[in-house]
Amino acid sequence: MPPPLLHRKPLGPAFAPGMDSRIDMTEEIDVTRKLRSGLTVLVPAYNESASIGDTVRSLRNQTLPPEEILVIDDCSTDDTSAVAAAAGARVVRPPQNTGSKAGAQNFAMTLVQTPLVMAIDADTTLEPQAVERMLAAFDDPEVVAACGFVLPRHVRTLWERGRYVEYLFAFGFYKPIQDYYEKPMIASGCFSAYRTDVLRKAGAWSTRTVAEDMDLTWRLYHKGLKVRFVPEACSYPIEPHNFHFMHKQLKRWSHGFVQNMCLHWRNNLDVPYLRIATAIALWDATVASFAYLVLLPLLALLFREPLFLLGYLIDLPVVVVCVCLAAARRKEVGKALVSIPSFFVLRTVNGFYMLDALWKELVLRRPLRTFEKGH
């Protein structure tokens, strides 16, 4: 277990006659803020000139700004470097394209000198208090990684609305339950933070799968380490706005899930909650996907009974209640209700990609190795 990062040195007695204890409290808060500010943010980027400026400015405008913002321009062919530098980031460039987000982040790890490091996507902006709220999780010396709440920055098209509801459901319902058991399934790659020394010892981000965030999170659990979810720290990535980009993202996520299941299933069996969570995820990826895409329409045709198609909506009450509760905290219930039909479209399409990934990874032995950004 790494030594506590936020060990507070004694500042004298908490109270003594003639002493104003409020001075000690102020000094202690200042010490904590100084320790937390030892943060480097890594922003891997490839042809992100349209969004990288907003990302860097979002980081610079934090209530607790990072010590350094390091943009890794992975040999872009546009002016990503110039835009990032103009916004106030330090830009580094590998000698050749690394081929993945994990590769770009690993290239920059040798430059990190702060006790904490954060990974954020080049299309993601943060609420002004997000970094400060995220790093508060590291007050617990056992916490080695933390992740935040994720919502699409734009909610306009069918695909963005589907993802908006999916995220409200996942981060407003599933993720708090996972955090209660101290086992968030994934420290989301678009916005997560780590203790630098632990990250290095864990091998940083592996390129053996196309879902490096899941791979890293599960490796930390296998080492008996602690990851937290911080719902108050909110990030806003740009999600796919059309099917062309959604196709790339769903393909990568589905293959990444299957690849990680194949790599980690034995070790996951030894972690009680992770064993249950991954089993449920696997059931959803296989049985539920097959039911949506094959079983329900087949039953409707064979028995000439369209009522079988209501199976698509069997969990509608649960989804609506959970999503509306999460949306109510943001005063977005109307937007959530309008977007719910899009969620069922996205879920059905995602089922196809899950079955396709299972077939190609496990049967055809044709693993996905090309990292394609989904926007």
Side-chain angles (χ1 to χ4, degrees), residues 11-33:
L11 297 175
F15 178 79
M19 176 184 290
D20 187 349
S21 62
R22 291 175 297 178
I23 296 175
D24 286 339
M25 180 61 69
T26 302
E27 290 177 356
E28 186 172 3
I29 292 173
D30 288 343
V31 168
T32 302
R33 287 179 63 89

Side-chain angles (χ1 to χ4, degrees), residues 180-212:
Y180 176 82
Y181 291 98
E182 300 183 351
K183 292 291 182 296
M185 277 283 283
I186 307 172
S188 305
C190 68
F191 178 41
S192 52
Y194 308 86
R195 294 193 190 272
T196 305
D197 59 342
V198 175
L199 182 60
R200 285 196 173 112
K201 290 175 183 176
W205 294 275
S206 174
T207 58
R208 61 185 176 173
T209 78
V210 290
E212 78 294 329

Side-chain angles (χ1 to χ4, degrees), residues 4 7 13 26 55 94 100 114 116 123 133 153 157 216 238 268 368:
H7 175 70
T26 302
T55 299
S100 68
T114 53
L116 296 175
D123 63 359
R133 289 169 175 171
R153 193 187 313 179
T157 70
L216 174 58
I238 296 175
N268 284 4
L368 180 67

Side-chain angles (χ1 to χ4, degrees), residues 252-272:
R252 177 166 52 86
W253 286 6
S254 299
H255 280 264
F257 172 76
V258 177
Q259 290 169 3
N260 276 290
M261 287 296 297
C262 292
L263 279 171
H264 295 290
W265 71 271
R266 290 183 184 275
N267 289 326
N268 284 4
L269 292 176
D270 296 329
V271 183

Side-chain angles (χ1 to χ4, degrees), residues 77-90:
T77 58
D78 65 3
D79 57 348
T80 292
S81 288
V83 174
R90 176 188 175 191

